[in-house]
Structures are given as structure tokens and as C-alpha cells.
Amino acid sequence: MSIMEYNGGSVIAMVGKDCVAIASDLRLGNQALGISSNFQKIFPVTDRIYLGLPGLATDVTTLRERFRFRVNMYTIKEEREIEPETFAHLVSSTLYQHRFGPYFIEPVMAGLSKTPSGGVKPFIAATDLIGCLNFAKDFVVAGTASSKLFGVAEGLWEPDLEPEDLFETISQTLLNAVDRDAYSGWGAIVHVITKDKVITRTLKGRMD
Amino acid sequence: MDHFPTNWGRPRNDAHDAYGTYPIAERPYNGPKDSFSEGVQHTQQPIVTGTSVLAIKYKDGIMMAADNLASYGSLARFKDVQRLHTVGNHTVIGAGGDMSDFQYIQNILDELIIDEFTAQDGHSLGPAEIHEYLAQVLYARRSKMDPLWNSLLVGGFKDGKKFLAYVDLLGTTYSASTLATGYGAYIAQPLLRSAVENNEDTLTEEAARKIIEDSMRVLFYRDARSINKYQIATITAAGTSISESNHLETSWDFAEGIRGYGAQTQ
Amino acid sequence: MPGLPQQRQFNPYSENGGTILAIAGADFSVIAGDTRQSEGYNIQTRYAPKVFRLTDRAVLAVNGFAADGNMFVKSVKQRLEWYRHAHAKDMPLRAIARLIQTMLYARRFFPYYVYNILGGIEEDGTGAVYSFDPVGSYEREACRAAGAAQSLVQPFLDNQIYFKNQLAAAGTSHPTHLPLPTVLSIVIDSFTSATERHIEVGDGLEMYVVLAKGRTLQGLEGIRGMQELTTTDDGERVFVVRRELKKD
């Protein structure tokens, strides 16, 4: 039995034109037994950063609180919002502190960082369970359906997608990947982060 | 029924053996024997082994090389073993792995060639046929869970066509313009590929010989089960030839100043 | 156990990577596979075919343990030749599918470690794909991927071939069968994607196309480097299209 597959679940993030998207399934299971179809594993960190935490459910809760605490401390000390790049390193170092007794979570981050000219730059990143960072330019995936997500995303994704097209791409990628994964599915949620708003939609998917 | 009366034992005599204590000799068993009562012994591991074999395609045909060492574990046991073998008029095979299994393979191939020769039908086995035959033999043996523990390269030239292919103890086969078995697959194969790929029809014999020699030298430096004495086979339109043993020129000057390489003075 | 010699079991199997895939159209079938053969991190060769023409209407793709695969194809071809000699015609596709099941199940307790996908044209002229597990379970499908990158390719095919999770525009419906050029594009995309994300996939791509009797080449004339393998004049036709894949 693998701890990473104990509760199931998957997350994916994609880069678009001046926007990013992050999406996950909503299943919580006890191995093959489905427990909940409304288990959130993506959480807002700031207005412009979302964090997905696929893996062991108990660690999802623990890490969410831990990151909320550490981001709050950062905000108070620095008197400004954390940038996505900084947050990625915060996630990485938090996980690496537990190098020899890790949290069983593979975080996925999506956000918009500010540019000097006042615009926004899309940012996505993912780490393994001990904090090895992966800054991808296209998409990152994690969870029990990761190999399926890689396959579909590699086929569907293209550069510079507008928010609505990015929404369609990430939704199709996630839905079709989790439909081939016994440990993921039971509904899905998508967040598309743009310069001035975050579009959040719950998707209707197969419930078997 | 045991048909040997002497095995039936003496009738007991109550006069002097009232309690049946007279030792009756243990009767030999003359019934049918089960030859397999202790199981059939199969090759579970190679014993005396050869290391890498290298082969490449070049302008005129195929060039193959293997050193002359047969190891017994880490002991350099036999230092004048030939691991290249001519089969018929158009083929050379080279073997890594168990040398007794290889010598058995040489025997069955020699018999095969004699059988085919005796037919006098105007046909002769080429490298493709030899390779196919070996693949069938090795696959059949692995399917009996009694493998012939070898990695073999088959090189040949017949009817103007070059042939180079691999077959191993599992019956796995493949073909490419450069092949290497054992450690050669890790150490020599990259060198061979970068020198030979896309140059199969232009590479001269001299250049091919240099690539092979350089690769054998690198293998000698890094493969602890190798030796600096090796043979090169060429298979061309002119037929097959296996060279006398060559000695590799090596230089260990670099080791002079490195602690842990050469003899230490303190 | 004292007295018994300690034994290390000889492992008669290996895995040689690669991926295969087949898609059935209304009156054609595409059967494809990459040409890399590997063992662990070692690339044994960049060209070892995994897709084989059996008859003018049947093509078989085999993936898994290469030695078993080659031996299995050899046996199937032999059985098909015997059938030809007995009945003076090629075995129909559905009969080949059943033959493959019995041949695989015959080795139930020492299986061929091979995933098979059979593609071709049925007697009624429709394109068909049959997929098998190593011990002979099989079914007819419209599309199937197998091998090292099955998990990458199959969900992509669900989406692009079966239109899973896609709604047709109001008043319309999804096509049940796609045209040949579209199918070839999807096959090429599947393999380039798999090559990008799976180390055991790459080097070369071979796509076999089987066309139903009397079907025109329509839409296929422009395909680069297409080669015909048909052996008869008035039956189904077989073609092969080759493409390079990344070699890293």
C-alpha cells in the first residue's frame, strides 16, 4: 500500500496568456472506497496565488494551516503580500525541513506575479513531497492521475491561451485524465486567475 | 513384484530367533526408479564467463571484437580463450556470458553447418539464418527454464548485404549498425554510435579498426573483468577472418600522481 | 533449508518498453507503434518493429517482452499460413482475433508477456480493432492504446476519438467515425506527446493503414512517404507510413 495513493486525488496547473489556471478533482477516498465527493484540495493563498495539495488527506489539512500561518507571518513582517516565486520557495523549504519524515503531499502552485512595468506574469510551480521545485513554462501535474494528466495535457495544451480557452483546456485535460484513474474523480473544480478576477467553476463529471 | 529371490529374506526360525531380532539385511530396491525425485538441475548461474563483445558495420562489412579472457568469478582464470567463432562461410558469432554454454553452441552450430553441407543442395546458411536458428535455440531453452547463459552477436556478409544482430539467454533479439554486449553496452556503445551511425557505407576498414581498438582500450581501462589481449574479426565479401590476438597499448602515466592508483611511497 | 542447494530463480521475462495504438474508422483501420526497443535505461535499438502485417486485411501490434512478442507473431503467421493452405483464402479478422485468444490462453500458466492489438477490416467491410491482455481476454473496440505509455495516451484518445467529456453543439451530434487524415493526425500527436513525457517511447513511428475493399485513397494521396504493402489486386489494401520521433 502506498501512502500517496491512500486517499487519492489529483491537481493540475496551466499557464495561459496573462492568466493561469489550477484545477483538481473533488474525491476523498479510503483506498478504493469513495468517502466524499466534495473534498477541496485547492486553497487560495493570496488574491493572486492558489495552492493545490494532492496526497494524504490528513496532511492536506495540516499543510493548509501551516502555509496559512507562514504566509500570515510573512505578510505581517514584510507588510506586503507574498509573491508567487517567494511562496514557491516557502513551500519548498517547509517540505524539505521534513526531509526524512515527509508530509505525503505534492504541492502545485499557480499565481500571477507583478512585473516592474505594472503588468502581470503567469507563474506555476510544483514540488515533490520533499520540496524539489519544478518551475514549468507550460503545465504541472500531481496526484494519482499524474501520468494520465501528463499525456492529455501534452496533447491539448498550447501557448498563449486566453482565459476561456485555458479554462476549456484544463477542464478537458483534468476530466479525461481522472476518468481513467480509479483514485481520482467524483467531480472537479477549476480556478482561472486573471489580472482582475478569479473565475471559479465546479465541473460536472462522471461519478463512477 | 521383486523377482530376485535373494531379496525375499530368510524364513524366520523360531528355534533361535523367537522374537524376530535377527538382523534382516536391508533389501536393495529393484523397482522402477524416479530419476527426477530430486528435481532436474538447470543452469542457475554462469560459471566461467566472458565479458563484452563489440561489433560495427563499416564500408566492406562487419567488424567484431572480443578479448581472450574467461573469468571464474573475479579470478582471471583462462587468458587464451577465443570468444569469436566462424560459422560457415559468411558468419562470425561472438559471445559473452557462460563459456561452456558458448562452446556447446559452437558444437551445435558446427554440426548444423555439416548437416547443411552434406545436403549438397547448392544452398548455404547465411548470417540471417544462423541468427534465426540461435534465437530459436536460446528461446526454447529459456522456455524450458534451462537457459544457455550467453549474449551473442551475429555478424555476417552474404549476397552483398551486411548483417549484424544480437540474441541473448532470454531469446531477445535486435539489430543495429553498432552492437555491444555486457559492459560494452554502457561504455563502448556510445563511442561506437557516435562514430558509426550514418557512416555505415563510408567508414573504411582502417577507421573501423581504430574505433574498435579505442573502444576495447576504454573497456580494458574500466571493465575489471577484461584483459588487454583481444581478437578482431572481419566479415566481408571476401569471407570471414579472425585475427591473431592483439595486445592493447595502454598508458598508466596519469596514475603516477594520483593517490590510490599506483604504488604509494608513504 | 539445510541439505537443499540455495537457488536463485532464473527470470524468463524482461520488459522492452515502447507503445502501440490502434484506431478503427468506418471503412479503415490504423495500427501504430513506436520502434524503440529498450531494457531498463538502455536503448537496445532504435528500429525494432512492433507492428506486423498478417494478411491484406489484418495487422497485429505486439508490445511487452520482445522475445515473446516476436515468437508469438511468428506462431500466428504460421497458423494463418496453414489456414490458407487448408481453405485457399485468408482468415477473416474476427477469426484471427479468436485464434489469438486461444493461442494466448494455451499459455495460461506460462504466459506470453505481451499485450496484443489487432486491427483491420471485418468481412462486412467495417474497420475494427481488437485488444487483448496477455492471457487472451479480448474485446472489439474503436480505439485502444497499450504499452509503456498507455496511461498517457488512452485518456487522450477517449477525448479525441470518443469525444468523452465533450458536448456536441446544439442540434448536432458527434461523428461516430472520424476521417482517415484526422485519425492519422491524432496518432502522430499521441506519439509525439508520449515521446515527450516517456523515456521508453521514441526514435521512430510506424503507422499501418488498412483500407476496406473498394475504398478510394481519398485524403491519403498527400501523405508523405506512404508505402503500399498489398499483395492482392481486388481486396483490402495495406499501407505503412513512417515518421521520425525524438531520439532523446
Side-chain angles (χ1 to χ4, degrees):
Chain A
M1 186 206 77
S2 163
I3 299 186
M4 297 305 287
E5 272 117 58
Y6 188 67
N7 300 118
S10 301
V11 179
I12 178 171
M14 280 181 175
V15 169
K17 187 169 169 52
D18 298 323
C19 59
V20 286
I22 182 167
S24 80
D25 68 328
L26 290 171
R27 182 178 183 271
L28 172 107
N30 182 199
Q31 305 205 70
L33 174 66
I35 299 292
S36 165
S37 58
N38 190 27
F39 184 74
Q40 301 287 336
K41 31 196 156 282
I42 299 181
F43 309 100
V45 177
T46 69
D47 289 348
R48 285 198 181 77
I49 304 173
Y50 276 67
L51 169 67
L53 299 170
L56 190 69
T58 186
D59 289 346
V60 173
T61 319
T62 311
L63 276 184
R64 178 174 82 132
E65 289 305 311
R66 210 182 160 97
F67 287 130
R68 188 166 75 93
F69 167 74
R70 296 201 65 175
V71 169
N72 282 344
M73 290 305 287
Y74 182 96
T75 316
I76 293 164
K77 282 183 181 167
E78 295 275 327
E79 296 184 323
R80 63 186 171 93
E81 254 189 9
I82 195 167
E83 284 294 305
E85 287 85 347
T86 323
F87 178 68
H89 283 97
L90 187 150
V91 169
S92 169
S93 57
T94 306
L95 291 180
Y96 196 78
Q97 282 182 346
H98 302 273
R99 171 62 181 80
F100 296 109
Y103 291 114
F104 297 101
I105 295 283
E106 293 178 338
V108 168
M109 290 144 270
L112 293 177
S113 57
K114 293 198 189 92
T115 59
S117 56
V120 291
K121 191 166 83 65
F123 174 88
I124 57 164
T127 87
D128 65 7
L129 74 170
I130 51 172
C132 174
L133 276 164
N134 167 23
F135 303 111
K137 291 181 179 65
D138 42 13
F139 51 84
V140 285
V141 302
T144 51
S146 59
S147 64
K148 289 122 189 164
L149 287 164
F150 267 129
V152 189
E154 195 65 62
L156 296 186
W157 185 87
E158 46 190 284
D160 297 324
L161 290 164
E162 297 296 331
E164 278 307 314
D165 295 335
L166 183 65
F167 166 76
E168 198 58 36
T169 306
I170 198 170
S171 301
Q172 288 293 322
T173 304
L174 182 73
L175 253 15
N176 289 287
V178 299
D179 284 353
R180 279 282 175 182
D181 182 28
Y183 295 114
S184 300
W186 266 21
I189 189 166
V190 182
H191 309 273
V192 182
I193 308 165
T194 62
K195 187 159 62 67
D196 35 39
K197 64 171 188 254
V198 176
I199 307 158
T200 298
R201 294 192 183 115
T202 317
L203 302 180
K204 192 164 113 180
R206 290 177 68 115
M207 300 303 275
D208 57 357
Chain B
M1 172 69 188
D2 188 345
H3 295 279
F4 292 82
T6 49
N7 287 340
W8 298 349
R10 269 170 226 270
R12 269 183 57 234
N13 188 341
D14 285 336
H16 58 78
D17 184 21
Y19 304 101
T21 56
Y22 187 83
I24 299 172
E26 199 176 304
R27 296 153 62 186
Y29 177 71
N30 288 305
K33 282 200 187 79
D34 179 7
S35 315
F36 301 102
S37 59
E38 286 167 38
V40 183
Q41 295 287 303
H42 287 160
T43 305
Q44 297 298 331
Q45 54 177 319
I47 309 293
V48 176
T49 59
T51 182
S52 321
V53 186
L54 311 181
I56 58 173
K57 285 187 180 173
Y58 72 104
K59 186 158 69 82
D60 308 326
I62 305 296
M63 189 174 286
M64 194 183 287
D67 69 20
N68 292 115
L69 180 64
S71 308
Y72 178 71
S74 58
L75 173 70
R77 181 64 181 83
F78 304 104
K79 301 208 248 190
D80 193 22
V81 167
Q82 193 173 115
R83 298 199 288 123
L84 302 175
H85 177 67
T86 309
V87 185
N89 299 319
H90 319 282
T91 312
V92 168
I93 63 170
D98 192 283
M99 286 297 105
S100 63
D101 282 351
F102 176 52
Q103 286 168 10
Y104 167 73
I105 287 169
Q106 290 177 35
N107 273 314
I108 60 173
L109 286 178
D110 289 349
E111 276 179 37
L112 177 72
I113 294 298
I114 292 168
D115 278 0
E116 293 294 319
F117 176 80
T118 315
Q120 287 292 315
D121 56 2
H123 295 290
S124 62
L125 295 184
E129 291 79 17
I130 302 289
H131 178 259
E132 182 66 32
Y133 180 82
L134 280 172
Q136 297 290 327
V137 170
L138 269 68
Y139 183 81
R141 288 292 293 263
R142 86 97 214 190
S143 298
K144 286 181 177 152
M145 294 297 278
D146 187 13
L148 292 170
W149 214 289
N150 297 105
S151 303
L152 300 167
L153 297 189
V154 181
F157 192 97
K158 195 182 179 215
D159 304 329
K161 289 184 75 174
K162 296 171 216 173
F163 181 93
L164 181 54
Y166 169 99
V167 57
D168 68 12
L169 71 167
L170 292 174
T172 306
T173 56
Y174 50 88
S175 180
S177 57
T178 66
L179 289 176
T181 72
Y183 261 93
Y186 301 103
I187 294 172
Q189 183 72 297
L191 304 169
L192 299 177
R193 280 185 183 158
S194 64
V196 175
E197 272 181 6
N198 303 320
N199 300 121
E200 294 87 353
D201 299 323
T202 51
L203 198 67
T204 63
E205 174 167 345
E206 194 185 17
R209 232 171 246 288
K210 181 168 170 12
I211 295 158
I212 289 284
E213 190 188 315
D214 286 349
S215 301
M216 290 303 285
R217 182 166 21 249
V218 177
L219 278 170
F220 175 59
Y221 278 129
R222 284 296 173 179
D223 178 3
R225 303 285 173 267
S226 68
I227 201 168
N228 59 348
K229 187 180 160 198
Y230 71 106
Q231 284 168 291
I232 290 181
T234 55
I235 312 98
T236 63
T240 67
S241 93
I242 299 176
S243 74
E244 291 298 301
S245 291
N246 303 317
H247 282 266
L248 282 167
E249 289 298 319
T250 48
S251 159
W252 296 90
D253 299 350
F254 70 93
E256 193 67 28
I258 302 175
R259 214 181 147 76
Y261 247 113
Q264 253 73 58
T265 49
Q266 56 151 20
Chain C
M1 277 224 284
L4 286 176
Q6 191 186 306
Q7 300 198 337
R8 198 168 55 80
Q9 251 288 293
F10 164 66
N11 179 193
Y13 292 113
S14 177
E15 272 242 49
N16 299 102
T19 278
I20 52 172
L21 140 68
I23 299 171
D27 55 359
F28 66 87
S29 201
V30 177
I31 307 93
D34 70 328
T35 65
R36 176 175 290 183
Q37 188 177 110
S38 60
E39 191 170 18
Y41 289 136
N42 221 351
I43 296 174
Q44 295 180 319
T45 178
R46 300 191 191 281
Y47 183 71
K50 279 192 276 291
V51 192
F52 302 92
R53 193 196 71 93
L54 297 177
T55 66
D56 276 349
R57 64 167 88 102
V59 172
L60 181 63
V62 288
N63 194 224
F65 174 33
D68 270 355
N70 292 326
M71 197 56 62
F72 185 70
V73 170
K74 216 180 163 74
S75 314
V76 172
K77 281 182 170 173
Q78 186 173 54
R79 291 291 294 269
L80 292 178
E81 187 173 331
W82 290 348
Y83 182 96
R84 249 185 324 267
H85 291 146
H87 300 100
K89 63 163 191 164
D90 280 335
M91 192 186 278
L93 192 69
R94 54 187 229 112
I96 299 177
R98 179 61 65 87
L99 172 72
I100 288 173
Q101 154 157 88
T102 44
M103 290 179 69
L104 289 170
Y105 196 79
R107 291 279 296 268
R108 171 63 180 76
F109 298 106
F110 186 15
Y112 288 111
Y113 193 62
V114 175
Y115 287 87
N116 282 283
I117 301 179
L118 175 70
I121 304 293
E122 294 283 20
E123 281 171 306
D124 64 4
T126 58
V129 163
Y130 290 91
S131 71
F132 302 79
D133 82 350
V135 287
S137 301
Y138 79 113
E139 66 174 329
R140 187 183 164 176
E141 294 174 293
C143 89
R144 170 59 66 190
Q150 183 193 42
S151 64
L152 285 77
V153 175
Q154 191 65 54
F156 179 66
L157 261 26
D158 291 344
N159 189 225
Q160 298 293 309
I161 304 291
Y162 292 121
F163 296 103
K164 289 277 172 71
N165 293 112
Q166 284 186 271
L167 297 173
T172 68
S173 64
H174 290 307
T176 43
H177 290 290
L178 295 168
L180 182 50
T182 314
V183 168
L184 284 176
S185 304
I186 291 171
V187 171
I188 293 171
D189 283 358
S190 298
F191 275 94
T192 38
S193 293
T195 301
E196 201 65 38
R197 294 287 181 177
H198 201 112
I199 56 167
E200 292 172 3
V201 182
D203 292 333
L205 170 60
E206 278 188 336
M207 294 174 287
Y208 281 70
V209 181
V210 192
L211 297 184
K213 209 177 291 185
R215 188 193 192 275
T216 57
L217 267 177
Q218 211 211 334
L220 211 66
E221 298 86 351
I223 299 288
R224 173 165 52 89
M226 189 174 67
Q227 185 193 340
E228 181 154 6
L229 306 172
T230 317
T231 56
T232 55
D233 291 335
D234 53 352
E236 293 80 2
R237 300 172 74 185
V238 191
F239 301 85
V240 62
V241 183
R242 296 194 173 82
R243 286 287 179 278
E244 292 287 300
L245 290 172
K246 284 171 70 175
K247 298 184 194 303
D248 56 359

